[in-house]
Every structure is written in structure tokens, then in C-alpha cells.
């Protein structure tokens, strides 16, 4: 029997409740498909931070790097200022393990309600490949006050004035800035991942950018996209400005197969995607380093107001567990879990409040586990 050791970080808010259901389903899948998981619990999150001052240390990250996959609940707590835990734990892990692909399947399962009128599961089935280590997430930014900023702003305005032959007034005494940067290698590897994925699907890749305004950074993205595309003659492509793609997601989701996007736009459009597939309770994600340590989590946050109520939908986390098993090569178990989620939904009895039911988090987890064991 194959033995796996999987680190698990339940995290904050509803994290522990949903992770408990994910583990339950994976344990059952192991019994059914012949593998055994030893879970190694890590305490990182708000409580641990407030008690010890540790977000996640270099030593812990180093220890975690011995494993191919990590299972993560959710990070974020109202007792800690926004950004501290998210950047100090979640983004720290994404960057430390160089998880350059954020894989977010947007798939409407049979029986799930979508806010898009007239669209069915055959229309909503694409995957977003979000770049996960660059762009505006690199953490370079700051603020400057008074004299300095005035000068900076004047320089900026002069550049614009010179470029466009305009005379633009300057009047400000404080600035804030954040630098977005993408590298050639970082851009190429994620786009290549998207093309390789499309080869196994419907052979279409859509690029997202804002090359009409942020032309330095996303003109570069487009250039690299075209160069990679030339190596895949059997794949069709299209280019989308990020504002426009939000329209097409809503109007014509059936156009999409694999969508590859810079980090920040990917963050935004996958919340929209999650809604198309029935809501945040149903949207899984994987932070993937194909050669290193990958980390699987629901897209949703820690929903502190529901903490401890055994109320929220565990499906996104269970589905993320399926992506994790796929990464480990346990394809039969991974497929069985998604099929069991679909069956639970089609049975239409045991469902949480967000899907119009009254069942608990653990009821839904147990039902999906029961279905997996009968497959
Ligand atoms: C996500 C989240 C994170 C992100 C936050 C919590 C740092 O919104 O996984 O989409 O912006 O990537
Ligand atoms: Mn997000």
C-alpha cells in the first residue's frame, strides 16, 4: 500500500472545519483506492501568530519543502490587520516554494445553480492558469511625503507631458506606489504550462492582459505569449484585455478552455469565475510547482463570521483535495472524489445553506465520503 505523509495547515476561521471534511474524504478514498495518508498538522495562522509572534518561519518552510504537497484551509483573522497573515503565511509559501502556477478550474458541476441564465455544465468548463509569483504581488512599494513626492510627481508628469505633448498640472504632497514586475522566465514558464495543459483539453489558450495601457509590462507578456504559441501550431489562441474578459466570462463562458493570466488579474477574474460555477463554496485551487512543493486550498477565505458553526460548504476544500491527489498521481481517487461531489449535488438532499439546504459542513463531508467508498 502506498504511504503518503501530507502536511496540513488548517489555518483560521472556518479552515479547521473544512479541512476536517477534506481529510475525511481523502482518508476514505485511500481505503477504497489503496493508499494511506499520515497527516502532519501545522499550527500556522492567527492563533499561533498571536501566541508566538511567528507567521511562518524559514525553518518551517524548509521542513515543508521535503513534501510534494501541502493541504491548506484558509488564512485571515479580524484580530490581525489585513495583509499580515495573508502575506506572511499564504504568499510567503507561494513565493518560498516558487509555486508559479495557480490552477483554478472553473467548472459548473451537474445540478449546481449558476447565476448565468441559459448556461449549463457544457458551457462552463475552463481552467484559469494564474501566474502566482510575480506582477503586483512581489511586494515592492511604499509611500513618500511632501517634497520628495512633489518632485517625483513632477518627473512623472513631465514624462507624460513630453510623451504626449500635453501640459499637465502637478499638485500633490504625498504619494503611494507599488511596482509590478514580470520576468521573461517567470512569464514563459507559466504560459508554457497553460499550453501543455491545453494540449490535454480542447486546445485553446486565451491570454489576459492590459497591453493597451500597461504596455511595458503586459506588452512584454503578450510578446512572450506569441513566442510560446508559435511552438504549438495545433493550439488556437486569443488575446483579451482584462476588462473585456469579465464581459466574455459572463456572456460566452463556452469560448474558454485554458485562460492564462498575470497574477493580479488572475486574482480578480477567478472570483468572477467562482461565481459562474456556483459560488465560493465550490471553487478549488492549486498552487503548483511542478518540480517542487505544491499547495492546495479552496479559493475562498476564512469567513470568520461562520467560524465554529459547522455551517459552511466544504466542497471547495474537498475538491482541492482531489486536485492534490491528482498531483500525487492518484488519478482514480481524484476522479472518484469529483464524481462523488457531483453525486452528492445531484442527490440534492445533503447540502449546506449556500446551496439552499440546511445540512452541516460535516454532514456534507460524510455524505461525499460515503459515496467515494461505494465507488
Ligand atoms: C486568493 C486570495 C489571496 C490572493 C490573498 C488572500 C492574498 O485572494 O488566493 O485569491 O490575493 O492571491
Ligand atoms: Mn483572491
Amino acid at each position: 500500500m502506498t504511504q503518503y505523509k501530507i502536511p496540513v495547515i488548517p489555518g483560521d476561521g472556518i479552515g479547521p472545519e473544512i479541512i476536517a471534511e477534506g481529510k475525511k474524504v481523502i482518508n476514505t478514498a485511500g481505503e477504497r483506492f489503496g493508499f494511506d495518508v499520515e497527516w502532519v498538522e501545522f499550527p500556522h495562522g492567527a492563533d499561533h501568530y498571536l501566541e508566538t509572534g511567528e507567521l511562518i518561519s524559514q525553518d518551517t518552510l524548509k521542513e515543508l519543502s521535503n513534501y510534494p504537497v501541502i493541504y491548506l484551509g484558509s488564512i485571515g483573522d479580524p484580530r490581525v490587520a489585513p495583509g499580515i497573515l495573508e502575506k506572511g503565511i499564504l504568499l510567503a509559501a507561494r513565493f518560498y516554494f516558487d509555486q508559479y502556477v495557480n490552477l483554478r478550474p472553473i467548472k459548473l458541476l451537474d445540478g449546481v445553480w449558476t447565476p448565468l441564465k441559459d448556461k449549463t455544465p457544457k458551457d462552463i468548463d475552463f481552467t484559469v492558469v494564474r501566474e502566482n509569483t510575480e506582477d503586483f504581488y512581489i511586494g515592492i512599494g511604499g509611500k513618500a511625503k511632501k517634497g520628495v513626492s512633489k518632485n517625483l510627481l513632477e518627473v512623472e508628469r513631465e514624462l507624460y507631458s513630453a510623451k504626449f505633448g500635453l501640459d499637465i498640472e502637478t499638485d500633490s504632497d504625498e504619494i503611494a506606489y507599488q511596482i509590478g514586475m514580470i520576468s521573461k522566465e517567470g512569464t514563459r514558464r507559466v504560459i508554457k504550462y497553460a499550453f501543455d495543459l491545453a494540449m490535454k483539453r480542447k486546445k485553446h489558450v486565451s491570454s489576459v492582459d492590459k497591453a493597451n495601457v500597461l504596455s511595458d509590462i503586459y506588452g512584454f507578456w503578450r510578446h512572450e505569449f506569441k513566442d510560446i504559441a508559435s511552438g504549438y501550431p495545433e493550439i488556437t489562441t486569443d488575446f483579451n484585455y482584462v476588462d473585456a474578459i469579465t464581459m466574455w466570462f459572463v456572456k460566452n463562458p463556452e469560448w474558454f478552455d485554458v485562460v492564462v493570466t498575470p497574477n493580479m488579474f488572475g486574482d480578480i477574474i477567478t472570483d468572477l469565475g467562482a461565481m459562474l460555477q456556483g459560488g465560493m463554496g465550490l471553487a478549488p485551487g492549486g498552487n503548483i510547482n511542478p518540480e517542487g512543493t505544491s499547495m492546495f486550498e479552496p479559493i475562498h477565505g476564512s469567513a470568520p463570521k461562520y467560524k465554529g458553526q459547522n455551517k459552511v460548504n466544504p466542497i471547495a476544500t474537498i475538491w482541492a483535495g482531489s486536485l492534490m491527489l491528482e498531483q500525487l498521481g492518484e488519478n482514480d481517487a481524484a476522479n472518484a472524489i469529483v464524481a462523488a461531489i457531483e453525486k452528492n449535488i445531484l442527490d440534492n438532499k445533503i447540502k449546506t445553506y449556500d446551496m439552499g439546504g440546511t445540512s452541516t459542513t460535516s454532514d456534507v463531508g460524510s455524505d461525499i465520503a460515503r459515496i467515494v467508498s461505494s465507488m
Side-chain angles (χ1 to χ4, degrees), residues 27-310:
N27 289 338
T28 308
E31 285 162 23
R32 169 68 186 75
F33 292 93
F35 60 87
D36 186 59
V37 178
E38 182 190 330
W39 300 99
V40 189
E41 295 266 339
F42 284 77
H44 299 80
D47 287 339
H48 181 73
Y49 172 64
L50 292 169
E51 275 158 33
T52 67
E54 183 202 0
L55 288 160
I56 194 160
S57 67
Q58 177 91 18
D59 284 349
T60 306
L61 290 166
K62 203 161 176 194
E63 185 189 341
L64 287 167
S65 70
N66 294 318
Y67 301 92
V69 298
I70 300 167
Y71 201 23
L72 175 69
S74 48
I75 298 291
D77 186 293
R79 292 170 295 169
V80 182
I84 305 278
L85 300 165
E86 293 86 342
K87 289 200 275 186
I89 300 174
L90 180 60
L91 296 186
R94 287 179 183 171
F95 277 78
Y96 184 86
F97 301 119
D98 201 19
Q99 294 163 337
Y100 63 86
V101 172
N102 193 323
L103 193 70
R104 299 189 157 179
I106 308 295
K107 185 172 157 65
L108 179 65
L109 300 180
D110 242 347
V112 174
W113 178 84
T114 173
L116 297 189
K117 188 166 166 288
D118 303 333
K119 298 294 178 189
T120 65
K122 74 173 182 356
D123 301 311
I124 302 173
D125 181 8
F126 60 94
T127 294
V128 176
V129 174
R130 168 186 173 191
E131 200 290 318
N132 211 25
T133 56
E134 299 197 322
D135 201 32
F136 287 95
Y137 277 68
I138 54 175
I140 301 179
K143 279 195 255 180
K145 282 195 173 46
K146 308 277 170 187
V148 180
S149 65
K150 190 142 199 160
N151 295 339
L152 263 180
L153 200 68
E154 272 160 12
V155 170
E156 183 192 302
R157 294 292 166 133
E158 266 171 34
L159 284 171
Y160 253 91
S161 307
K163 213 164 178 176
F164 300 109
L166 301 172
D167 190 14
I168 304 172
E169 292 278 302
T170 301
D171 184 19
S172 173
D173 61 3
E174 190 174 12
I175 61 161
Y177 60 95
Q178 192 95 37
I179 307 282
M181 185 221 79
I182 62 176
S183 68
K184 187 164 177 136
E185 190 206 336
T187 302
R188 292 180 72 86
R189 64 185 183 177
V190 72
I191 293 175
K192 191 153 187 322
Y193 185 96
F195 276 84
D196 288 338
L197 180 62
M199 287 300 288
K200 297 184 225 148
R201 295 180 47 106
K202 291 178 267 175
K203 298 197 168 58
H204 186 78
V205 182
S206 305
S207 171
V208 181
D209 62 55
K210 187 73 187 172
N212 52 342
V213 180
L214 304 173
S215 41
D216 292 309
I217 181 167
Y218 301 127
F220 183 79
W221 169 277
R222 240 180 217 224
H223 179 268
E224 297 306 324
F225 182 97
K226 285 182 187 157
D227 190 55
I228 304 270
S230 69
Y232 293 81
E234 52 286 81
I235 292 186
T236 53
T237 59
D238 56 56
F239 293 95
N240 303 266
Y241 296 137
V242 61
D243 46 350
I245 208 170
T246 60
M247 270 189 328
W248 304 130
F249 270 17
V250 171
K251 187 164 180 290
N252 297 103
E254 66 279 3
W255 286 351
F256 298 103
D257 177 25
V258 175
V259 176
V260 65
T261 167
N263 203 344
M264 193 176 72
F265 298 151
D267 178 44
I268 298 164
I269 66 174
T270 52
D271 270 29
L272 175 57
M275 257 321 140
L276 305 188
Q277 63 180 327
M280 282 305 212
L282 289 153
N287 303 278
I288 296 174
N289 177 336
E291 290 90 41
T293 298
S294 300
M295 184 168 76
F296 297 83
E297 55 170 343
I299 294 187
H300 64 66
S302 59
K305 71 173 177 183
Y306 293 120
K307 179 184 167 136
Q309 293 179 26
N310 199 15

